[in-house]
């Protein structure tokens, strides 16, 4: 049933037993299930700050059910804080987090795992680790940040990014900008928008490996304490039942989660992460297969910044459970919800309460058909690119314009701050892919500035980098192959005509193939000498179409 590390009857385990004793564990404790609490608590990330307290309640649940808690920690970068130069190191840490967890767990021989996490790269990194380690595992997130209210209006973190563009064009003054900087991120908890953090946090709920409402409720809710204790108790049962992660986190469960993400209008970064998670699980999830799954469901909800509703509104409308109940005809209802110890059908059948149909539409009245993403291909993206279609104004589903080319995020930021962006143009940001960046930085601030400047209905932005999960507008990302790796994006020149057609899933450079081939012979990469982990990452990372997997 349990790995008997430190068993008093085996003299060869004396070293292990002695060292654990020095940490305060009793001999009789070491014959019980030892549960690793993988905690990403940090003082410098609001989404993870509450996890120090929650870990204590997870411990209580583990002890109460006859297990022994053993906590250790991993890094937890905040994408918002790491904007600009720091963003080179964020996606890198997803794989480092996964590898560090695997190394610690395999070295110490824990019997089961509870993952405490909240944000953009930490949840995916921990999911990759759970799949690769394949021990009984459950997850718990910190809960949502309190929205900021001012003069009858409600604001969340993504509104602060768009405020930069509004300030640039004089729509808001310096005093307002400073007040919003000080107040808009108003508490601990995960930013109250539907970016990558909450897309992946609610994905955990939809797949039954975290309690329902754990990502959508406010971080300060007393129910977070109950959830933490419940997770601690339940993980001990999973160990006793000898149920490993792959026994319940199956392909069918993964597909349910993808459909949930699409139906709720989730983050494009989820595509990158779920391809990587599937690989860690030992399965294959090509980009086209992801598209087949996500496009099979209607979009029934959209949240900040793609609508006026934030995470608190989502929670009050019925949360993840309401979406699962609404789209149940598209799901495998026999899939196991491990936290609840029963099937998805039994979970949705037991749900009570009204669903707010203004926030979460019925499938008979969808916000969009065919999923929330457009997976597009063409001579600029032979291996694919991604767009959050439900975040694009329909008038921009088809756009043709002149290219304005930039070799980095810094270049496009400076241009938008100091020069005029011509309506109708296509801003091309290249050499920001996994290898080129390196690190596949997100173009979060340029994309938000585009919206704040009112240009998202006339200007498109394309890149081999990423966007924030909270981006909206005609933003094409993950273009593959990337420019650094010989992708045709490297051949684009100022003034070239680029066509984007989301109805036909097409991105096309209107330059003859022979001319593109000739230009590619003369491409000169920008000087980007990197050392240390970034150099290792550049040498080993896969393309975005393969999940930008590095160590897995």
């Amino acid at each position: 049933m349990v790995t008997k590390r430190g068993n008093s009857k085996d003299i060869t385990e004396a070293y292990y037993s002695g060292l654990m004793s020095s940490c305060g564990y009793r001999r009789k404790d070491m014959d019980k299930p030892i549960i690793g609490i993988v905690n990403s608590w940090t003082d410098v990330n609001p989404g993870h700050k509450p996890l120090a307290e929650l870990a204590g309640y997870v411990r209580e649940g583990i002890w109460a059910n006859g297990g022994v808690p053993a906590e250790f920690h991993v890094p937890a970068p905040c994408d918002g804080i790491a904007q600009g130069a720091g963003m080179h190191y964020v996606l890198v840490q997803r794989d480092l987090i996964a590898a560090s967890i695997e190394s610690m767990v395999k070295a110490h021989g824990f019997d089961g795992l509870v993952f405490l996490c909240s944000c953009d790269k930490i949840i995916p990194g921990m999911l990759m680790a759970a799949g690769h380690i394949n021990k009984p595992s459950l997850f718990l997130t910190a809960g949502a940040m309190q929205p900021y209210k001012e003069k009858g209006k409600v604001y969340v973190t993504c509104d602060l990014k768009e405020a930069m563009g509004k300030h640039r064009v004089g729509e808001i003054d310096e005093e307002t900008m400073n007040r919003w900087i000080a107040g808009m991120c108003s508490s601990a908890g995960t930013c109250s928008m539907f970016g990558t953090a909450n897309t992946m946090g609610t994905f955990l709920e939809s797949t039954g490996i975290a309690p329902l409402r754990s990502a959508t409720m406010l971080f300060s809710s007393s129910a977070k304490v109950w959830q933490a204790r419940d997770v601690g108790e339940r993980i001990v049962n999973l160990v006793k039942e000898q149920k490993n992660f792959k026994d319940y986190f199956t392909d069918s469960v993964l597909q349910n989660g993808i459909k949930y993400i699409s139906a709720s209008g989730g983050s494009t970064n989820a595509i990158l992460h779920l391809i990587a998670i599937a690989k860690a699980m030992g399965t294959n999830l090509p980009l086209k297969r992801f598209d087949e799954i996500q496009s099979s469901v209607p979009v029934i909800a959209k949240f900040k910044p793609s609508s006026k509703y934030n995470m608190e509104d989502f929670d009050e409308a019925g949360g993840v459970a309401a979406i699962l109940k609404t789209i149940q005809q598209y799901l495998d209802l026999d899939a196991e919800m491990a936290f609840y110890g029963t099937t998805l059908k039994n979970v949705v059948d037991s749900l009570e309460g009204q669903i707010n149909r203004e926030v979460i539409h019925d499938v008979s009245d969808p916000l969009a058909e065919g999923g929330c993403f457009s997976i597009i291909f063409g001579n600029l993206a032979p291996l694919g690119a991604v767009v959050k279609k439900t975040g694009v104004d329909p008038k921009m589903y088809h756009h043709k314009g002149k290219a304005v080319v930039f070799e980095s995020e810094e270049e496009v930021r400076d241009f938008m701050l100091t020069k005029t962006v011509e309506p109708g143009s296509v801003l091309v940001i290249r050499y920001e892919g996994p290898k080129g960046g390196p690190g596949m930085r997100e173009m979060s601030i340029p994309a938000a500035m585009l919206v704040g400047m009112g240009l998202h209905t006339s200007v498109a932005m394309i890149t081999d980098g990423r966007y924030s999960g909270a981006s909206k507008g005609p933003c094409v990302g993950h273009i593959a192959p990337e420019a650094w790796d010989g992708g045709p994006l490297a051949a684009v020149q100022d003034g070239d005509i680029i066509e984007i057609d989301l109805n036909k899933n097409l991105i096309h450079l209107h330059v003859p193939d022979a001319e593109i081939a000739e230009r590619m012979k003369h491409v000169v990469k920008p000087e980007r000498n990197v050392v240390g982990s970034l150099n290792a990452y550049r040498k080993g990372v896969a393309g975005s179409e393969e999940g930008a997997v590095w160590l897995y």
Side-chain angles (χ1 to χ4, degrees):
M1 179 182 70
V2 178
T3 304
K4 296 294 185 181
R5 294 290 304 270
N7 191 323
S8 59
K9 296 179 182 179
D10 184 351
I11 194 64
T12 64
E13 295 293 345
Y15 205 26
Y16 174 92
S17 183
L19 290 167
M20 287 291 280
S21 295
S22 73
C23 295
Y25 295 94
R26 300 165 298 178
R27 294 293 292 271
K28 65 180 181 180
D29 293 332
M30 286 175 274
D31 283 339
K32 299 174 182 178
I34 298 179
I35 308 300
I37 301 174
V38 190
N39 196 346
S40 54
W41 168 81
T42 171
D43 254 345
V44 289
N45 183 335
H48 294 251
K49 194 171 176 62
L51 296 178
E53 181 179 1
L54 282 181
Y57 298 117
V58 173
R59 286 172 171 272
E60 289 178 5
I62 292 169
W63 281 119
N65 203 25
V68 177
E71 184 177 351
F72 66 95
H73 294 250
V74 296
C78 172
D79 284 51
I81 291 173
Q83 290 296 314
M87 185 56 65
H88 289 293
Y89 289 91
V90 172
L91 186 59
V92 173
Q93 288 191 64
R94 181 196 70 181
D95 290 47
L96 288 173
I97 288 166
S100 67
I101 294 167
E102 177 192 348
S103 300
M104 182 65 177
V105 171
K106 293 293 182 72
H108 275 238
F110 301 119
D111 300 303
L113 300 166
V114 172
F115 294 91
L116 298 180
C117 48
S118 285
C119 290
D120 301 39
K121 309 306 173 294
I122 299 87
I123 295 173
M126 289 187 173
L127 277 164
M128 290 167 69
H132 203 66
I133 295 166
N134 194 31
K135 287 180 178 285
S137 300
L138 290 175
F139 290 72
L140 184 65
T141 55
M145 182 182 288
Q146 175 74 46
Y148 173 72
K149 298 177 182 179
E150 180 180 293
K151 297 178 181 178
K153 292 185 177 181
V154 179
Y155 301 90
V156 298
T157 309
C158 56
D159 295 312
L160 184 58
K161 289 191 292 184
E162 293 179 11
M164 299 178 201
K166 292 179 180 180
H167 184 264
R168 168 73 177 86
V169 297
E171 189 176 327
I172 58 173
D173 59 22
E174 193 77 16
E175 181 182 349
T176 299
M177 189 69 196
N178 288 333
R179 187 173 65 252
W180 285 1
I181 291 170
M184 202 171 280
C185 302
S186 60
S187 73
T190 308
C191 299
S192 192
M193 60 193 183
F194 210 53
T196 309
N198 282 314
T199 296
M200 297 307 298
T202 56
F203 169 83
L204 299 174
E205 296 182 39
S206 73
T207 54
I209 54 177
L212 290 166
R213 294 192 66 222
S214 50
T216 57
M217 72 168 60
L218 292 178
F219 85 98
S220 54
S221 171
S222 58
K224 294 304 299 181
V225 176
W226 313 338
Q227 287 178 347
R229 288 182 174 139
D230 289 344
V231 166
E233 290 180 355
R234 178 61 183 151
I235 192 62
V236 177
N237 287 340
L238 286 174
V239 172
K240 291 176 180 177
E241 294 164 11
Q242 296 184 294
K243 299 197 75 168
N244 290 326
F245 191 66
K246 291 182 183 179
D247 293 333
Y248 49 84
F249 194 83
T250 61
D251 284 348
S252 181
V253 167
L254 178 60
Q255 289 183 40
N256 281 351
I258 292 171
K259 291 174 184 178
Y260 157 76
I261 287 173
S262 186
S264 59
S267 163
T268 52
N269 284 321
I271 302 171
L272 193 76
H273 297 321
L274 290 170
I275 292 172
I277 291 160
K279 186 167 184 178
M281 294 287 296
T283 61
N284 190 28
L285 184 63
L287 199 53
K288 289 187 176 180
R289 177 58 182 148
F290 183 96
D291 193 24
E292 290 172 2
I293 298 167
Q294 74 88 22
S295 63
S296 68
V297 294
V299 179
I300 60 169
K302 293 196 294 185
F303 303 99
K304 281 273 191 176
S306 296
S307 81
K308 64 182 180 180
Y309 301 115
N310 59 50
M311 294 307 293
E312 188 175 26
D313 298 323
F314 185 12
D315 189 60
E316 292 174 353
V320 174
I323 289 183
L324 295 175
K325 191 174 184 71
T326 301
I327 64 167
Q328 61 181 297
Q329 69 195 72
Y330 301 94
L331 304 175
D332 179 359
L333 295 176
D334 292 327
E336 184 173 358
M337 301 283 276
F339 174 76
Y340 294 96
T342 188
T343 64
L344 176 58
K345 183 180 189 307
N346 288 336
V347 170
V348 297
D349 284 350
S350 67
L351 296 175
E352 298 177 354
Q354 294 293 317
I355 299 172
N356 184 341
R357 291 300 182 195
E358 289 185 11
V359 179
I360 299 171
H361 288 222
D362 192 72
V363 292
S364 63
D365 178 34
L367 295 168
E369 298 282 2
C372 79
F373 305 115
S374 285
I375 309 298
I376 64 178
F377 295 86
N379 68 346
L380 262 185
L383 298 181
V386 303
V387 185
K388 186 172 178 175
K389 186 176 181 179
T390 54
V392 180
D393 189 303
K395 70 176 67 172
M396 290 295 287
Y397 282 3
H398 181 259
H399 180 75
K400 185 186 288 186
K402 291 183 179 180
V404 185
V405 181
F406 305 93
E407 309 287 56
S408 69
E409 180 194 7
E410 285 79 5
E411 282 192 13
V412 73
R413 274 206 216 186
D414 290 346
F415 184 90
M416 295 176 77
L417 287 170
T418 60
K419 297 181 181 179
T420 300
V421 180
E422 294 294 335
S425 57
V426 178
L427 307 182
V428 179
I429 314 164
R430 63 190 178 197
Y431 298 111
E432 288 288 6
K435 294 181 181 178
M440 201 179 181
R441 292 193 292 178
E442 65 177 32
M443 306 298 111
S444 173
I445 291 177
M449 288 176 65
L450 200 68
V451 175
M453 294 166 72
L455 294 170
H456 60 292
T457 56
S458 62
V459 175
M461 183 179 289
I462 71 173
T463 182
D464 50 9
R466 301 179 294 111
Y467 292 99
S468 164
S471 293
K472 66 179 180 180
C475 299
V476 180
H478 306 203
I479 290 177
E482 61 174 294
W484 190 275
D485 220 17
L489 198 65
V492 180
Q493 296 180 359
D494 285 339
D496 286 347
I497 301 299
I498 294 174
E499 182 177 7
I500 302 164
D501 193 331
L502 303 187
N503 296 311
K504 297 180 179 179
N505 293 330
L506 173 73
I507 182 167
H508 185 76
L509 175 65
H510 284 270
V511 172
D513 290 346
E515 173 65 16
I516 293 174
E518 182 61 27
R519 290 183 185 180
M520 291 299 295
K521 295 177 184 177
H522 304 285
V523 166
V524 178
K525 297 177 183 177
E527 287 287 335
R528 288 192 186 164
N529 296 319
V530 294
V531 297
S533 60
L534 288 183
N535 187 41
Y537 187 80
R538 172 176 283 171
K539 290 177 180 178
V541 69
S544 59
E545 78 284 359
E546 296 181 43
V549 172
W550 175 27
L551 298 174
Y552 281 79

